[in-house]
Amino acid sequence: MALTVADLKGLTVGACVSGGLDSRTIAKVLAEAGVKVVAFSADLGQPDEKDINDITRRMAPCGVETFIVDLKDAMAEACFQVIEAQAMYDGGYWNSTGIARTVTVRGLLPEMKKRKCTVLVHGATGRGNDQMRFERYTNVLAPSMRVYSPWRDAALLQQFPGRTQMVAFLAKHGIQAFVGTKKKYSTDANLAGLSHEAEDLESLETSMLIVRPTMGVWPKDAPDKIEKLSVRFSKGRAVQVNGKDVSPLQAMQTANKLAGRNGIGMKHALENRIIGTKSRGVYEAPGMELLATCLRYVYQATMDRRAGLLFGQLSKLVADQIYDGRYYDPATQAARAAIGVFSKHASGTVEVGLYKGNIFFNALTGCKASIYNEADSSMEASDGLNPVSSQGFAEIQSVEAIALAKAGQI
């Protein structure tokens, strides 16, 4: 049964906050109702936050203590897992928000428990995906922890039908919150990328170009020259960029910078939400797009046709599971384990060129597990496959083909 504000009176709750209008409103409403609110925010390497500690300062007037939990390394590791699985959702969305919720809930729950919180509070809308992700990850990682979703609470929805009412409520308590002009869209950001949606983007007659990129530029604004770089992979993980050893966090930060300035990773998606509705999003994920594309070139060299088919099926399953908030489910972990069978052979150095939103393949070297053989594939005379040997295979194939034709099935 859904919790209400009245149910929380006298309890200690852990509120996941961003420092925005919603976060401050919820924190103040609960505090006024006799609830002890402890606020938490995850540092996921958000590129739209100049100083992550600004969240603490924005929450302070609400009378709550806010803890910033550094999860950048965990977020980078999660990015690597998505890249290894090539786990892209509808329309080319790199699951940046979906995988971030995995990291956020797993990272904040222990901190909430340390401070005796028995309820997790989140500010996700009752019409979107994140409400389900916060709920499910709390359920599977801390079954005894209850969840309160303010924007599914009928009383709060009636009290705060829009931003204007929230601003007025905070002003009544001496907390300034400027509404400003109507936003063109909303943004959620982390190390993996930015999700832009809602407001003007809800209309399919609105161009995606209304979005102002944060992690880079639109391809049309990128430099008019090819930028070359190399990425060294070891067992499906990027370990060097341009010859320099990198940690997962350094790899993501470097890839975001290089790909971003070349207009890489700007995508439009009209995706299928968990709850059954459609959602329109414009996504930035320059580093994810760059590293995943480079790894794909290695996979192409190391997987046979049937391995590639199975990998594609596993990849889609993992992508769907991340999107649905089911990353820790047995099916996801089994798929990831199977993907590991393929990625353990994915070692080599990929050289690419970046140009106005495009990634060009230049070279693959040092890939010992490659099953590509130039001599076998050559159209010219070589010491590879003897073309005469293909005659027998062609004759075997013809038996079935002729039988189908004679049976009238073609």
Side-chain angles (χ1 to χ4, degrees):
M1 187 173 178
L3 294 173
T4 65
V5 173
D7 297 325
L8 303 179
K9 186 175 182 179
L11 300 180
T12 300
V13 305
C16 302
V17 302
S18 65
L21 183 59
D22 283 31
S23 296
R24 285 176 285 170
T25 300
I26 292 166
K28 192 60 182 176
V29 166
L30 293 179
E32 287 291 301
V35 182
K36 182 179 179 182
V37 181
V38 186
F40 299 86
S41 192
D43 182 356
L44 303 173
Q46 295 93 319
D48 61 343
E49 286 281 1
K50 292 182 179 180
D51 183 355
I52 195 71
N53 291 306
D54 284 342
I55 295 174
T56 301
R57 290 187 279 271
R58 294 197 295 266
M59 293 300 299
C62 300
V64 300
E65 187 174 11
T66 303
F67 295 92
I68 306 295
V69 183
D70 188 347
L71 298 176
K72 291 192 294 295
D73 286 325
M75 186 66 211
E77 180 60 35
C79 289
F80 268 37
Q81 292 170 12
V82 173
I83 290 167
E84 179 190 17
Q86 301 281 295
M88 182 188 288
Y89 193 63
D90 279 358
Y93 167 44
W94 277 111
N95 264 313
S96 55
T97 302
I99 197 64
R101 298 303 176 244
T102 309
V103 175
T104 297
V105 178
R106 187 175 192 123
L108 295 188
L109 279 174
E111 300 301 320
M112 291 183 181
K113 289 180 178 180
K114 284 180 188 177
R115 293 162 181 87
K116 311 300 181 185
C117 299
T118 58
V119 179
L120 180 144
V121 178
H122 66 81
T125 174
R127 291 180 174 175
N129 297 313
D130 280 338
Q131 56 173 332
M132 303 304 173
R133 294 165 179 157
F134 276 110
E135 195 108 6
R136 185 170 180 83
Y137 287 137
T138 304
N139 292 161
V140 298
L141 297 174
S144 62
M145 180 83 77
R146 291 187 292 173
V147 178
Y148 173 61
S149 177
W151 304 127
R152 294 203 306 258
D153 186 330
L156 254 68
L157 288 170
Q158 185 175 11
Q159 184 180 358
F160 303 109
R163 292 169 61 84
T164 302
Q165 290 77 19
M166 286 188 265
V167 170
F169 170 79
L170 292 177
K172 179 181 172 184
H173 291 87
I175 303 171
Q176 290 187 338
F178 178 65
V179 176
T181 56
K182 186 178 184 292
K183 295 173 63 180
K184 290 187 176 181
Y185 52 86
S186 64
T187 299
D188 187 275
N190 59 66
L191 181 69
L194 285 83
S195 303
H196 307 289
E197 58 184 10
E199 304 297 344
D200 288 10
L201 286 174
E202 290 174 354
S203 170
L204 292 183
E205 296 180 7
T206 300
S207 169
M208 66 187 288
L209 292 176
I210 71 165
V211 171
R212 183 177 179 180
T214 299
M215 302 178 79
V217 297
W218 285 108
K220 64 183 179 64
D221 299 319
D224 194 18
K225 63 178 181 179
I226 296 175
E227 180 172 2
K228 296 181 179 180
L229 76 146
S230 66
V231 182
R232 171 70 185 171
F233 290 94
S234 176
K235 298 181 179 180
R237 297 170 66 86
V239 294
Q240 287 186 346
V241 177
N242 285 336
K244 181 181 178 181
D245 291 347
V246 287
S247 67
L249 178 56
Q250 291 169 332
M252 285 303 304
Q253 291 171 332
T254 302
N256 279 334
K257 180 180 178 181
L258 297 179
R261 68 190 182 201
N262 285 286
I264 305 296
M266 297 296 300
K267 297 289 182 69
H268 176 274
L270 195 62
E271 71 208 37
N272 293 291
R273 277 179 174 163
I274 299 170
I275 60 175
T277 60
K278 284 277 189 181
S279 173
R280 185 202 183 183
V282 176
Y283 298 104
E284 299 180 53
M288 296 290 286
E289 181 76 10
L290 173 56
L291 295 180
T293 299
C294 289
L295 179 57
R296 194 175 308 131
Y297 290 139
V298 183
Y299 280 152
Q300 288 172 354
T302 59
M303 290 188 201
D304 62 62
R305 181 159 60 95
R306 288 167 181 79
L309 175 62
L310 176 57
F311 180 89
Q313 295 168 338
L314 295 169
S315 176
K316 185 181 186 309
L317 187 149
V318 173
D320 289 350
Q321 293 286 89
I322 293 173
Y323 191 86
D324 290 352
R326 294 174 173 269
Y327 195 60
Y328 300 118
D329 284 21
T332 317
Q333 297 311 307
R336 285 194 57 231
I339 285 170
V341 172
F342 302 121
S343 65
K344 72 179 181 181
H345 300 299
S347 298
T349 299
V350 179
E351 297 174 36
V352 295
L354 309 181
Y355 180 72
K356 290 188 174 294
N358 296 287
I359 301 175
F360 299 105
F361 175 85
N362 283 332
L364 172 62
T365 57
C367 185
K368 294 181 179 179
S370 172
I371 56 177
Y372 174 73
N373 184 291
E374 289 183 39
D376 288 342
S377 303
S378 178
M379 301 297 181
E380 306 296 331
S382 70
D383 293 330
L385 175 68
N386 183 354
V388 177
S389 301
S390 295
Q391 177 62 31
F393 185 65
E395 291 176 4
I396 291 173
Q397 293 272 59
S398 71
V399 174
E400 180 191 34
I402 293 171
L404 286 169
K406 287 182 176 180
Q409 293 191 33
I410 301 296

